């Protein structure tokens, strides 16, 4: 099981981290093209490995956990 995110959400998270640590906002870490390349590369790997992928962009931790448990056949 792999967790994935949307480009814009991941960019916003990374920008907040950069701001928190007082770092330069204009790096490859927060660059949209770089993030897109990262996510595309990860998606290819997930597909190659046959992974169950959950996009967590707009999901709570609880909702994500429930999806994982359901996928694993673990019920409450």
């Amino acid at each position: 099981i792999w967790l994935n995110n949307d480009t814009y959400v991941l960019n916003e998270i990374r920008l907040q981290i950069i701001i928190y640590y007082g770092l330069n906002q204009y790096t490859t870490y927060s660059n949209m093209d770089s993030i897109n390349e990262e996510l595309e590369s990860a998606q290819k790997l997930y597909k190659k490995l046959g992974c169950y992928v959950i996009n967590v962009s707009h999901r709570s931790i609880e909702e994500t956990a429930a999806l994982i448990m359901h996928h694993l056949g673990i019920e409450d």
Side-chain angles (χ1 to χ4, degrees), residues 44-74:
K44 286 178 187 175
L45 177 61
Y46 302 156
K47 187 173 183 175
K48 181 179 179 179
L49 296 174
C51 296
Y52 177 68
V53 179
I54 299 171
N55 187 310
V56 297
S57 299
H58 303 288
R59 287 196 167 92
S60 67
I61 292 170
E62 296 82 3
E63 184 181 2
T64 302
L67 287 170
I68 292 169
M69 291 175 63
H70 178 75
H71 180 74
L72 296 175
I74 303 169

Side-chain angles (χ1 to χ4, degrees), residues 17-35:
I17 291 169
I18 288 169
I19 290 167
Y20 178 80
Y21 287 107
L23 302 172
N24 181 2
Q25 293 181 25
Y26 304 103
T27 65
T28 55
Y29 181 68
S30 61
N31 178 279
M32 294 293 277
D33 291 334
S34 296
I35 292 172

